[in-house]
Amino acid sequence: MSRAPIGMEPPATIQDEHWMAEALAQARLAADVGEVPVGAVVVRQGCIVGRGHNQPVAVRDPTAHAEIVALRQAAQALGNYRLEGCTLYVTLEPCAMRAQAALHARLERVVYGAKEPRSGAAGSVLDLFALPALNAHTQVQGGILADQAAALMQDFFRRRRAQQRAQAVPLRDDALRTPEAAFVGVWQRAAAWRVTPQDSYACQDLPNLGGLRLHWVEVGPRDGAVPWLCLHGPLAWWPQWGPWLPPRLARRQRCLIPDLIGFGQSDKPKKPAWHSPARHAEILRDWLDALAVHSCRLALAPGAEALWPALQAALGPRVRDVIHVPADDLLPPAADWLDAPFPDRGHRAGPLALAGSAR
C-alpha cells in the first residue's frame, strides 16, 4: 500500500493531485505495453488499496479497464465489494460501464482527470452519477491534472497513428507482411526485457531493400559507444534476444536487433530463392550506413553464424569483434512468440531458406 506524505492534512486539491499522480503512473504502465494509457487507484484513509491500468488486450477481457482492475483489487484487499469511504482516482472520465461499477461499489467519490467527449458518463455524453432514480450516488469531481492525462492520451494515439502510417506503406506484390495484431502478445512480454513499442522502428528506402520494409528494435543510449548488432537465428526473430538485453541495458549499452527480411515484423518475400547470405549482408550494411553506425560488436544467435562470411565481406573492419551467444542466454523457441510472424507457409520462406543454409 502507498500512503500520502506524513504531516499536516493537505487541502483537498493538493491531496487529489497527489493521488491522481499515482493514477498517471499507472496510465504510463499501460502505455509502455501498448494499451490505451488510462490508470486508476482506489484510496481509503490515506492509503492506496487498489491499483489498475488498462489491460483488455493483454488479458483478452473487454472489462479489464483501469477502474475495474483497481476496484477488484480494492475489494479483495478490504474483503468487501462495497467500498464505502473510498475514493477512485482515474485519469480519464469513466464510460457507462465503469461509472456503473463505481456506483455499485458505493464509492464515496470519483475523481477523474481528462474528459472523454465520446463516451464519458460523468457529464460529457451522459451523467450516470446525476440520475436520481439510481439507488446509489457518488460525488464526482473532474479536471484534476487534466492536462497531463490528456497529453498522455494524445501522445499515445499520435504514436499509434505513426505506426499505422508505417504499416500502410506499399507492399510489394511478391511479398507478405504480418498484421501488427499478431505481435500484441509479444509486446506485452517485452516489458520484462525493458523493451516497449516505442523502441520499434522500420524503414523502406535503403538501396538494396527494393521497397521491402525492414523492421528493427533499438534500445539503450545513443551516446557514441560502440553498439551491439544482434542477429537472430534462422528460425527466430528479434524477441529471441529478450533475456539477453537487460544486463546490457543495465550497463548502458546500445543494442540494435533487426528482423532480417523475411522474418518477424519485416516484409517477407514469398520465394525462398530471394534469400541469400550476401543479400541479407548488403541490406544490413545499408541499414548501418543509414544509422551512421561505423563500428559495431556483432552478437550471433545459434544458426546465425551461417551469415558470418557474407557479413565479413560486406561490413569488413566495421565489425570490431564477434561473439557467439549460447542458446541458454536467449529465449528458447516457444509457440507463443516463435510462430507469431509466420501464420502460414507463405510467410515462412525466409526461415525455410536460411535454416537450410545454416545446416
Side-chain angles (χ1 to χ4, degrees), residues 3-239:
R3 280 197 173 273
I6 297 173
M8 184 179 297
E9 185 72 6
T13 54
I14 296 176
Q15 190 178 50
D16 287 343
E17 289 181 358
H18 169 78
W19 297 122
M20 188 61 72
E22 294 281 347
L24 283 166
Q26 291 293 309
R28 294 185 187 99
L29 293 178
D32 286 345
V33 293
E35 300 271 8
V36 175
V38 181
V41 296
V42 177
V43 177
R44 184 173 184 269
Q45 296 179 355
C47 292
I48 292 179
V49 293
R51 302 175 190 268
H53 60 76
N54 270 10
Q55 47 192 285
V57 177
V59 300
R60 299 176 179 88
D61 180 355
T63 71
H65 290 260
E67 300 96 318
I68 306 298
V69 175
L71 290 173
R72 287 172 177 162
Q73 192 179 107
Q76 290 296 314
L78 298 177
N80 194 335
Y81 82 91
R82 290 195 172 192
L83 303 178
E84 294 171 344
C86 293
T87 298
L88 171 68
Y89 292 87
V90 59
T91 58
L92 187 69
E93 179 184 0
C95 69
M97 176 190 74
R98 292 167 279 173
Q100 186 59 60
L103 289 166
H104 191 62
R106 305 301 198 272
L107 291 168
E108 182 177 321
R109 298 175 69 217
V110 170
V111 180
Y112 68 86
K115 284 189 170 295
E116 172 48 276
R118 290 173 295 182
S119 63
S124 290
V125 176
L126 72 159
D127 192 350
L128 285 177
F129 298 99
L131 291 179
L134 294 178
N135 66 341
H137 299 92
T138 296
Q139 298 177 31
V140 179
Q141 181 175 355
I144 305 300
L145 300 186
D147 290 345
Q148 294 182 37
L152 193 60
M153 295 286 286
Q154 291 163 2
D155 182 64
F156 174 82
F157 285 108
R158 183 165 53 248
R159 290 176 182 273
R160 174 175 283 186
R161 287 191 294 271
Q163 291 171 350
Q164 290 171 341
R165 285 194 296 270
Q167 184 70 5
V169 295
L171 176 65
R172 282 176 27 166
D173 291 339
D174 62 346
L176 298 167
R177 182 177 298 156
T178 308
E180 290 298 315
F183 305 114
V184 170
V186 173
W187 284 115
Q188 296 289 345
R189 187 171 189 167
W193 310 323
R194 297 172 59 183
V195 180
T196 76
Q198 285 69 49
D199 301 315
S200 174
Y201 301 88
C203 68
Q204 214 172 354
D205 56 356
L206 303 179
N208 285 289
L209 279 177
L212 294 168
R213 188 182 71 164
L214 177 71
H215 172 267
W216 73 96
V217 165
E218 181 174 349
V219 290
R222 304 179 188 183
D223 56 5
V226 177
W228 287 103
L229 170 57
C230 309
L231 295 186
H232 60 72
L235 296 176
W237 51 300
W238 76 259

Side-chain angles (χ1 to χ4, degrees), residues 263-297:
F263 294 80
Q265 293 173 252
S266 291
D267 283 353
K268 301 170 180 65
K270 299 176 186 178
K271 296 183 179 179
W274 183 94
H275 297 272
S276 71
R279 177 171 264 167
H280 285 290
E282 289 168 354
I283 290 172
L284 290 173
R285 180 196 60 209
D286 293 346
W287 171 62
L288 292 174
D289 286 343
L291 294 179
V293 173
H294 305 300
S295 181
C296 65
R297 293 178 286 181

